[in-house]
């Protein structure tokens, strides 16, 4: 059952996705992408004026600074920035327990919602500035062979290590 909060979040994400661009297209990064640790992401949580605001979904780090009224300090979605919030986006949730990259136990509907918002909103509206270490590396530190750098021509893994 959809709660009023989930409905509101869905509505706001829809408005955000249509507000600036009626015609959706991929926004290329203005400089080469990089590898982010959790500590790196935390430094981009919207708490410092004039500092870029980053959030990660599915291990892809987006620069959401142009949406600072929503993602910046005291913004309604500030809880999503400075971390990988994949689970929260999939569940349309701002609950602290959901502010994680862990997708374990998500329903098929939630996974489809995640993919829709990831592709239709974030990848089309915000530049990709990097990837989380979790996306590129396995638990043992070896490279993740399944990693695909989402159409980023400037990404070079050897430059990141």
């Amino acid at each position: 059952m959809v709660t009023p909060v989930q409905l509101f979040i869905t509505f706001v994400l829809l408005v955000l996705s249509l507000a600036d661009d009626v015609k959706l297209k991929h926004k290329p990064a203005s400089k080469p992408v990089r590898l982010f640790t959790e500590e790196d992401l935390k430094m981009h949580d919207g708490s410092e004026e004039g500092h870029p605001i980053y959030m990660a979904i599915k291990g892809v780090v987006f620069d959401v600074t142009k949406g600072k009224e929503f993602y910046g300090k005291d913004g309604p979605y500030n809880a999503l920035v400075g971390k990988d919030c994949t689970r929260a986006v999939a569940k349309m949730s701002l609950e602290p327990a959901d502010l994680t990259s862990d997708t374990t136990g998500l329903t098929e509907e939630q996974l489809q919602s995640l993919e829709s918002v990831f592709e239709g909103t974030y990848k089309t509206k915000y530049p990709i500035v990097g990837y989380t270490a979790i996306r590129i590396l396995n638990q043992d530190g070896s490279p993740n062979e399944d990693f695909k750098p989402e159409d980023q021509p400037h990404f070079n893994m050897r430059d990141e290590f």
Side-chain angles (χ1 to χ4, degrees):
M1 178 162 193
V2 177
T3 67
V5 171
Q6 290 172 320
L7 188 58
F8 176 75
I9 291 172
T10 302
F11 174 75
V12 171
L13 287 173
L14 178 62
V15 169
L16 285 173
S17 70
L18 298 175
D20 284 344
D21 303 310
V22 173
K23 175 174 62 169
L24 298 178
K25 59 182 180 180
H26 175 72
K27 306 255 190 255
S30 58
K31 53 187 171 182
V33 295
R34 63 182 256 216
L35 182 64
F36 286 85
T37 64
E38 285 184 37
E39 293 76 27
D40 292 333
L41 270 178
K42 286 178 189 176
M43 294 187 318
H44 299 280
D45 65 359
S47 62
E48 288 187 45
E49 190 66 34
H51 203 212
I53 304 169
Y54 296 161
M55 70 182 283
I57 302 172
K58 294 175 54 177
V60 179
V61 181
F62 296 95
D63 182 342
V64 297
T65 307
K66 76 176 185 178
K68 67 181 173 185
E69 65 275 6
F70 299 101
Y71 298 106
K73 185 177 182 182
D74 301 323
Y77 301 113
N78 180 256
L80 300 173
V81 299
K83 61 184 72 68
D84 189 320
C85 58
T86 302
R87 183 179 201 81
V89 171
K91 292 179 73 177
M92 300 293 176
S93 168
L94 294 174
E95 295 295 321
D98 292 327
L99 299 172
T100 178
S101 62
D102 184 14
T103 57
T104 305
L106 291 178
T107 67
E108 187 60 37
E109 183 179 317
Q110 289 167 331
L111 291 171
Q112 287 175 355
S113 174
L114 170 64
E115 194 61 29
S116 175
V117 172
F118 177 75
E119 292 289 334
T121 301
Y122 288 97
K123 278 184 72 177
T124 59
K125 187 170 185 164
Y126 298 108
I128 296 172
V129 294
Y131 299 90
T132 61
I134 292 170
R135 182 172 175 91
I136 296 175
L137 303 175
N138 295 318
Q139 292 278 32
D140 63 3
S142 64
N144 177 357
E145 298 297 329
D146 295 326
F147 173 72
K148 304 286 184 268
E150 266 98 30
D151 305 321
Q152 290 299 310
H154 303 294
F155 186 78
N156 190 333
M157 251 184 6
R158 75 169 190 258
D159 294 340
E160 301 298 333
F161 297 99

